[in-house]
């Protein structure tokens, strides 16, 4: 029987109602008569206490049904009124007084005070064994607890069967929503909605309910009467972490303890489901990353690649393929996960509007992407959208430590499968070589060939010697003196020797710039107007990122 229509048990607390207690044989045999609080017999009886001392209220915690023969009530009306008021303030469920030697009928002061305080007051016309009453009510309470657990276990069983039958998170939430007759939501730990199930008032869409009650108030507690249960995380370094939260909102009917118990059971199932989904998603993303890496390194020939790509769900059509590689670098957050990243990036890339094959390579810190375009003319526009989606996915997944350099996105040359193989390899190497360059939304691999060449020579002693010969005096100067001159030289060369633009970017007047350029030429013993000198200095400035 559903406890929302069962008046034997309290639907808001863990006990039985006063009405149910009066219906049990023990109290019923005492011919109970309700003198006050007849409209409050739905109160919860959490325990039974019997006593005859005047200060018995100090021994109670609230929710008790108090049995007494009246010896502790006092003899004067003022004492009786004070006795009832303290019990009402303590929040007991009901006061039951057995008539007999102490009272043939209850005093008016007692009855009037109970009515004024809203405290259920019952007199028993026949003697009853208080121990029998206590045993019966406590047994009923324990049975009620057991009934709650049984109902929650039934939800757990149904959720488990749904998963074994091929269901997932939506099915689990649907079962919980049906059980509670209220909408159920699964949120991320930071309050972002993942899934919703059930209906709101008058069959309203649950998303409308969430937007109205949770969307603008993610940092605030849910409305009163809601049930909020953490879905624990898992895996190395995540002990005690919260992966998601279950939120049950009481917009159609009140929620009771059994709904919290059921939600806690469901949270345990969801933790396993999400962990499994994360593992499967990461394995799939790594598998696609291995395919793209094998393609880049020539272990898959161009003729075989389309069939293998179709198995992975990639059907690009007849247009050119665009390879893109993102390198995250060394600032990966311990809390970030590649499965989370793969999902976040996939969701962001879904809005790009072209076929996408996405893979990850955690060892190299790379995300590899192959996209199908309609024509080469789309390259720049697609690259813009893809780069924005990749960076947004990294931010959503929380992959980077605070203060870490942004990810590097490199776009390769578009073409067929053979070009895609070379383009992925080129973009992957270039993404590593581009670490430390001025941040841009994305880099064209074709424009970074010099940086790639210098990166490949990074361990050759001649490169360090070349850098030292070309700009060593300037580095020594900047270590000892102010203002530093290397930034001036970099800006001057970046503007191809155009002094007006250089001065404008450095916020210098022209004479100051001329003086600095003269000092640079003097320290280096070179002519900054000589093309060969400019080339050598440009190469040295690029190469210094790769040498100590």
């Amino acid at each position: 029987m559903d406890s929302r229509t069962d008046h034997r048990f309290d639907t808001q607390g863990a006990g039985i109602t006063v009405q149910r207690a009066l219906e049990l044989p023990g109290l019923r045999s005492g011919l109970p008569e309700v003198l006050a609080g007849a409209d409050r017999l739905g109160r919860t009886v959490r325990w039974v206490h019997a006593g005859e001392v005047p200060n018995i209220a100090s021994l109670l915690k609230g929710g008790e049904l108090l049995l007494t023969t009246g010896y502790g009530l006092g003899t004067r009306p003022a004492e009786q009124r004070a006795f009832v008021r303290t019990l009402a303030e303590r929040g007991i469920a009901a006061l039951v007084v057995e008539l007999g030697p102490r009272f043939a009928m209850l005093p008016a002061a007692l009855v009037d005070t109970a009515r004024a305080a809203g405290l259920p007051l019952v007199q028993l016309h026949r003697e009853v064994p208080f121990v029998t009453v206590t045993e019966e009510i406590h047994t009923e309470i324990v049975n009620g607890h057991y009934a709650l657990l049984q109902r929650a276990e039934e939800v757990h069983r149904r959720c488990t069967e749904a998963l074994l039958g091929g269901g997932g998170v939506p099915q689990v939430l649907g079962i919980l929503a049906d059980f509670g007759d209220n909408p159920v939501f699964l949120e991320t730990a930071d309050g972002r909605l993942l899934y919703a199930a059930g209906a709101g008032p008058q069959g309203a869409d649950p998303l409308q309910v969430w937007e109205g009650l949770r969307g603008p108030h993610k940092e605030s507690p849910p409305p009163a009467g809601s049930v909020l249960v953490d879905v624990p995380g898992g895996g190395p370094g995540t002990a005690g972490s919260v992966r998601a939260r279950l939120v049950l909102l009481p917009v159609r009917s009140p929620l009771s303890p059994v709904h919290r118990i059921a939600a806690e059971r469901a949270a345990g199932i969801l933790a396993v489901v999400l962990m499994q989904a994360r593992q499967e998603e990461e394995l799939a993303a790594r598998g696609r990353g291995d395919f793209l890496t094998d393609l880049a390194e020539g272990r898959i020939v161009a003729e075989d690649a389309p069939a293998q790509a179709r198995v992975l769900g990639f059907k690009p059509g007849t247009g050119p393929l665009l390879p893109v590689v993102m390198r995250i670098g060394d600032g990966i957050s311990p809390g970030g996960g590649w499965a989370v990243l793969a999902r976040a990036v996939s969701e962001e890339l879904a809005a790009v509007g072209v076929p996408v094959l996405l893979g990850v390579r955690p060892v190299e810190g790379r995300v590899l992407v192959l996209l199908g375009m309609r024509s080469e003319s789309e390259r720049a526009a697609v690259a813009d959208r893809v780069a924005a989606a990749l960076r947004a996915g990294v931010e959503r997944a929380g992959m980077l430590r605070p203060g870490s350099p942004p990810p590097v996105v490199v776009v390769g040359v578009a073409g067929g499968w053979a070009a895609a193989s070379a383009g992925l390899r080129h973009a992957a190497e270039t993404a590593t070589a581009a670490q430390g360059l001025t941040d841009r939304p994305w880099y064209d691999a074709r424009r970074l060939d010099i940086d790639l060449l210098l990166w490949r020579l990074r361990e050759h002693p001649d490169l360090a010697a070349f850098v030292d010969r070309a700009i060593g005096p300037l580095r020594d100067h900047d270590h000892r003196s102010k203002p530093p001159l290397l930034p001036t030289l970099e800006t001057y060369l970046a503007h191809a020797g155009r002094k007006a633009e250089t001065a404008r970017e450095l916020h210098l007047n022209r004479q100051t710039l001329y003086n600095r350029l003269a000092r640079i030429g003097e320290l280096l013993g070179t002519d900054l107007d000589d093309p060969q000198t400019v080339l050598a200095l440009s190469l040295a400035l690029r190469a210094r990122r790769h040498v100590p």
Side-chain angles (χ1 to χ4, degrees):
M1 181 180 294
D2 192 326
S3 69
R4 283 171 290 148
T5 59
D6 187 348
H7 299 293
R8 297 177 303 164
F9 298 100
D10 167 50
T11 59
Q12 299 302 315
I16 67 171
T17 63
V18 175
Q19 179 66 52
R20 175 58 181 166
L22 295 177
E23 293 170 354
L24 293 174
L27 285 179
R28 193 173 68 242
S29 66
L31 302 179
E33 180 185 359
V34 179
L35 301 180
D39 59 335
R40 303 195 179 190
L41 298 184
R43 279 186 172 184
T44 301
V45 176
R46 303 183 190 280
W47 209 242
V48 180
H49 192 87
E52 305 293 344
V53 295
N55 64 338
I56 197 169
S58 63
L59 306 177
L60 306 178
K61 296 181 178 179
E64 295 90 352
L65 185 144
L66 177 60
L67 300 172
T68 181
T69 58
Y71 283 100
L73 295 178
T75 57
R76 293 180 298 175
E79 294 172 335
Q80 295 165 359
R81 285 192 288 268
F83 183 88
V84 172
R85 279 197 294 267
T86 55
L87 291 178
E89 291 168 359
R90 183 62 68 173
I92 72 167
L95 173 61
V96 178
V97 183
E98 183 183 86
L99 301 179
R102 180 67 182 88
F103 292 114
M105 60 179 297
L106 294 185
L110 199 70
V111 177
D112 292 343
T113 305
R115 288 172 178 168
L119 175 66
L121 174 63
V122 180
Q123 63 181 8
L124 300 178
H125 291 277
R126 292 178 57 184
E127 181 180 344
V128 299
F130 282 179
V131 65
T132 301
V133 173
T134 300
E135 288 177 350
E136 285 184 348
I137 295 177
H138 287 175
T139 299
E140 193 82 356
I141 291 172
V142 171
N143 288 342
H145 279 287
Y146 181 66
L148 291 181
L149 291 175
Q150 279 188 314
R151 296 181 64 218
E153 286 302 322
E154 172 63 17
V155 173
H156 185 273
R157 183 189 64 79
R158 290 174 56 199
C159 290
T160 303
E161 289 179 351
L163 294 181
L164 293 176
V169 174
Q171 286 72 28
V172 172
L173 296 186
I175 291 170
L176 195 57
D178 290 342
F179 177 68
D181 192 30
N182 278 296
V184 176
F185 307 93
L186 186 65
E187 302 177 356
T188 61
D190 60 359
R192 183 170 53 85
L193 181 63
L194 294 174
Y195 295 95
Q202 290 81 49
D205 189 318
L207 296 180
Q208 295 176 340
V209 175
W210 187 83
E211 283 294 338
L213 295 177
R214 291 292 290 157
H217 313 291
K218 298 183 185 69
E219 305 300 323
S220 304
S226 301
V227 170
L228 185 66
V229 176
D230 289 340
V231 177
T238 59
S241 66
V242 176
R243 174 169 295 155
R245 288 190 177 90
L246 267 176
V247 181
L248 285 68
L249 299 178
V251 296
R252 290 171 61 91
S253 59
L255 293 168
S256 65
V258 69
H259 299 124
R260 173 171 289 279
I261 297 172
E264 290 170 350
R265 299 288 194 276
I269 290 179
L270 289 171
V272 176
V273 173
L274 293 177
M275 185 183 303
Q276 182 183 18
R278 175 177 293 185
Q279 291 171 346
E280 291 177 352
E281 191 164 12
E282 182 167 350
L283 286 174
R286 289 190 183 208
R288 295 189 295 269
D290 292 344
F291 165 77
L292 292 171
T293 300
D294 288 344
L295 178 65
E297 295 178 359
R299 290 189 288 269
I300 298 176
V301 298
E303 292 76 15
D304 297 336
Q308 295 189 37
R310 281 196 298 273
V311 172
L312 296 173
F314 183 56
K315 301 174 182 177
T318 58
L321 302 174
L322 182 65
V324 179
V325 174
M326 175 174 67
R327 187 174 189 276
I328 296 180
D330 302 323
I332 298 177
S333 169
W338 286 92
V340 178
L341 174 65
R343 176 186 296 174
V345 170
S346 296
E347 291 174 355
E348 295 289 343
L349 286 173
V352 174
V354 297
V356 175
L357 181 63
L358 168 74
V360 300
R361 292 280 292 183
V363 174
E364 295 96 352
R366 292 176 187 157
V367 175
L368 301 98
V369 184
L370 199 58
L371 304 108
M373 299 189 301
R374 288 184 293 270
S375 67
E376 170 69 25
S377 62
E378 292 183 315
R379 182 175 183 270
V382 170
D384 286 340
R385 298 198 301 271
V386 170
L390 290 171
R391 288 176 170 240
V394 170
E395 184 175 351
R396 276 179 53 187
M399 286 292 287
L400 295 180
R401 295 188 182 97
S404 299
V408 172
V409 179
V410 175
V411 178
V413 178
W417 282 100
S421 174
L424 280 168
R425 181 172 60 255
H426 187 204
E429 288 185 322
T430 306
T432 302
Q435 294 287 327
L437 289 177
T438 302
D439 183 36
R440 291 180 182 174
W442 59 276
Y443 299 90
D444 190 328
R446 297 171 298 190
R447 298 175 61 86
L448 294 179
D449 280 339
I450 291 176
D451 294 275
L452 178 57
L453 176 62
L454 295 172
W455 176 76
R456 287 173 174 168
L457 296 173
R458 66 191 182 282
E459 295 181 359
H460 198 291
D462 286 349
L463 184 64
F466 164 68
V467 171
D468 191 57
R469 286 195 306 273
I471 62 172
L474 279 189
R475 289 195 302 187
D476 295 340
H477 170 275
D478 287 359
H479 287 153
R480 299 189 311 267
S481 307
K482 302 257 183 220
L485 296 177
L486 275 172
T488 300
L489 179 60
E490 281 184 298
T491 307
Y492 177 71
L493 295 178
H495 287 291
R498 293 187 289 272
K499 296 182 177 64
E501 294 178 16
T502 302
R504 193 159 42 246
E505 181 169 332
L506 293 173
H507 304 290
L508 300 175
N509 61 54
R510 288 202 179 191
Q511 188 57 52
T512 300
L513 175 63
Y514 296 158
N515 292 340
R516 289 190 184 181
L517 293 176
R519 179 59 174 156
I520 290 170
E522 178 184 339
L523 287 170
L524 298 180
T526 58
D527 180 4
L528 296 184
D529 293 326
D530 176 54
Q532 295 300 318
T533 297
V534 168
L535 175 60
L537 290 176
S538 298
L539 290 174
L541 288 172
R542 288 192 179 191
R544 68 181 177 133
R545 295 186 299 111
H546 307 302
V547 299

